Amino acid sequence: MRPGSGISLSFVAEQRIRQLEQKLRAKEERIIVLETENAFLHLKLAEIQRTSWAVSAEESDSHYASYKEINFHESIKSILIQIYGAIQRLKRDMKDLRLSALQFSRDIQHQGKSFFYQILTAVQKLQLHNEVMQTFQTKALELEQSLHEVSERYQKEKQRRKVLHNSLVELKGNIRVHCRIRPLLPFDMAPGEPAFEDRQRNFSEKVVYAADDETVIVKCSRSGHALTNKMFQYERVYNASDSQGTVFADVSPLLTSLLDGYNVCIMAYGQTGSGKTYTMLGPQSEDTCTFPVEDDLEFGIIPRATEEVFRLLSEKSPGSHWVEVSVVEVYNNDVFDLLAKDNSGRTSGIKRDIITNKEGKSEIPLLTYESVGDAVEFLELVNKGLQLRVKHPTLVHAHSSRSHLVVTLCITTVAVSMDHFGAQWAGSQKLTKEHFLSSPYAGKDDMASFPSRASSPALFGSEPMEKLKRVRTRLQLVDLAGSECAGMSGVTGPILRETSFINRSLSALADVLGAISEQRSHVPYRNSKLTHLLQDSIGGDAKLLLVLCVSPSQKYLTESLQTLSFGSRARQVHRGQAKKRNQPLQSKSK
């Protein structure tokens, strides 16, 4: 019996006892009244008897009076007998009632003791449970604290592992591969499905998702086969909720390497509509196909990287560097200069050729390089180039890019080595691009040095000698055109020809990576203008980051698997350690 029910029965018993006690008091009061009446009647009877005796003495001769007195006495006697009988019955009732109340009281006491012992047992068990619960809570707190400590150690070890892994990747010259999974979008809806807004966007709709920040899992299902999961590992994986800033945070360390003297290339790869242009540039205006300069929160890698480069350059001494920008596109296996101007001074895409110079590096003769002083000038130039970029609508994407976009940011730094007299002069002078290029000692190489003696004694003494060294580093930012299936994109005619060139150039890129990975003697860079243009970044000494962009939709499962497999192959490429462009200065004197 529960403690709660015991308390209820005790309360009922107490109520019943109170009712019986009230009845008992009422009976006792009735008995007292009857006894009082009885005594009163006895007194009245005695008085009547005395009166009767007096009357009988005076009226002994009256036979009728005697007969009447006898009848009166008999009546009184009958009444007294009835009262006595009622009193006896009341006494018996009171005795029975007292016995019942006593028995009921004993029962209540017995039940009360039973309930008390049950309540006491329940309280003891509750106390025991509380002690056990406190023990569990103490252990839980200890485990939680231990888990927190383990998590902190895990995060530290994970960070340390990442640092070691990145160091290993850099030593091997591996291509860093990041993967970004975009959200589900309206055009992911298959024909016949309900409106996208009415669909429940739950986890089961996605077949590609991030298991953690380094792992991608793909749910692969085929008719008649069990569901299988494929797993892909990369240096970094971003899910649909990760912002542009989160993506760039893992890119920015490469920009420090850029200013430390390393060439850097960042490339976005994926199918049409997978988010490559959004990742590299940000959201684009539908009417002008440019990105809004004011919406900096949605900026992609290209504008953010430029802002970071100019921020880092602002920390260096003024006049020791200059920045130039070129924008080209590879369309239908031809290279077009998107910053070149025609005879009337208007910007127009001019076709250029790619050659391999004496050092074995690819270059584009007559390619337009525009000098920029800040990120705003850079964004204006890139927007001019984007307006000329070829775009056509397809069933997959309303503004599908039909060309590979390559934005190159070149930083030229001039360093001066001299004795203490020349150092005093250098601290008060600013070197400009024209100052260096006007020198007859400035060669065409990425690095050149020349001795010179001041022609004016006001600037130099008779002994100081200087050595100028030009270091040219290059940041290539590549937004590749998307691979696509002609049947799914619904393209025909000239656009179908564009699709063919896009897929062939991407296939050539895969062939180049395969040849490098297998360490073949011949790498087919010239099978495509795209791979020829990016030869120095893919197989040279640049630090290369490949950003895979994939859709989570079942509709594009085949294309997503192809992209992820391409990234896995790219991770296996060992190109050797990246080379630093600026070598230590060697002083010379005459």
Side-chain angles (χ1 to χ4, degrees), residues 45 86 88 93 98 103-104 115 131 173 185 253 338 344 374-375 395 399 402 439 469 472 500 544 568 582:
L45 179 60
Q88 294 300 320
D93 291 343
R98 284 178 178 175
Q103 184 62 36
F104 188 74
F115 294 153
E131 292 176 358
L185 298 175
L338 299 185
S344 60
D374 53 36
L395 294 180
H399 303 280
R402 314 307 295 172
S439 169
K469 182 180 68 172
R472 186 179 177 88
S500 175
L544 177 58
S568 296
N582 53 336

Side-chain angles (χ1 to χ4, degrees), residues 426-482:
S428 61
Q429 299 296 318
K430 293 183 179 179
L431 290 172
T432 64
K433 177 182 177 180
E434 290 74 14
H435 177 203
F436 175 77
L437 294 180
S438 62
S439 169
Y441 297 94
K444 296 181 179 181
D445 299 339
D446 285 343
M447 187 183 346
S449 60
F450 60 93
S452 64
R453 181 179 298 272
S455 58
S456 172
L459 291 179
F460 296 97
S462 58
E463 297 181 358
M465 297 299 300
E466 311 121 25
K467 177 184 177 184
L468 293 182
K469 182 180 68 172
R470 183 183 69 171
V471 179
R472 186 179 177 88
T473 55
R474 181 177 63 242
L475 171 63
Q476 284 187 312
L477 303 161
V478 185
D479 178 23
L480 296 174

Side-chain angles (χ1 to χ4, degrees), residues 84-143:
Y84 180 77
I87 290 173
Q88 294 300 320
R89 286 194 300 273
L90 285 173
K91 287 182 177 180
R92 286 195 300 269
D93 291 343
M94 286 184 62
K95 184 178 180 181
D96 293 340
L97 186 60
R98 284 178 178 175
L99 291 174
S100 298
L102 183 60
Q103 184 62 36
F104 188 74
S105 178
R106 291 195 189 102
D107 293 342
I108 291 299
Q109 289 178 358
H110 177 72
Q111 290 183 3
K113 289 181 180 179
S114 177
F115 294 153
F116 175 76
Y117 288 131
Q118 291 180 10
I119 293 173
L120 183 61
T121 303
V123 169
Q124 291 175 348
K125 290 183 178 179
L126 184 60
Q127 290 177 348
L128 181 61
H129 289 163
N130 287 337
E131 292 176 358
V132 174
M133 184 62 68
Q134 290 178 355
T135 303
F136 284 156
Q137 288 178 348
T138 302
K139 290 183 178 179
L141 290 174
E142 292 176 354
L143 290 175

Side-chain angles (χ1 to χ4, degrees), residues 191-242:
E193 290 186 355
F196 181 77
E197 290 78 6
D198 298 333
R199 294 168 61 196
Q200 183 180 5
R201 306 180 192 180
N202 53 30
F203 185 75
S204 62
E205 289 181 337
K206 300 180 180 180
V207 297
V208 182
Y209 59 95
D212 53 42
D213 59 358
E214 294 180 350
T215 307
V216 176
I217 293 181
V218 183
K219 295 180 180 178
C220 301
S221 60
R222 292 186 298 170
S223 178
H225 293 77
L227 179 66
T228 58
N229 291 336
K230 289 189 176 181
M231 184 180 298
F232 299 87
Q233 295 279 343
Y234 304 108
E235 276 71 35
R236 185 71 165 86
V237 174
Y238 309 98
N239 57 39
S241 62
D242 286 326

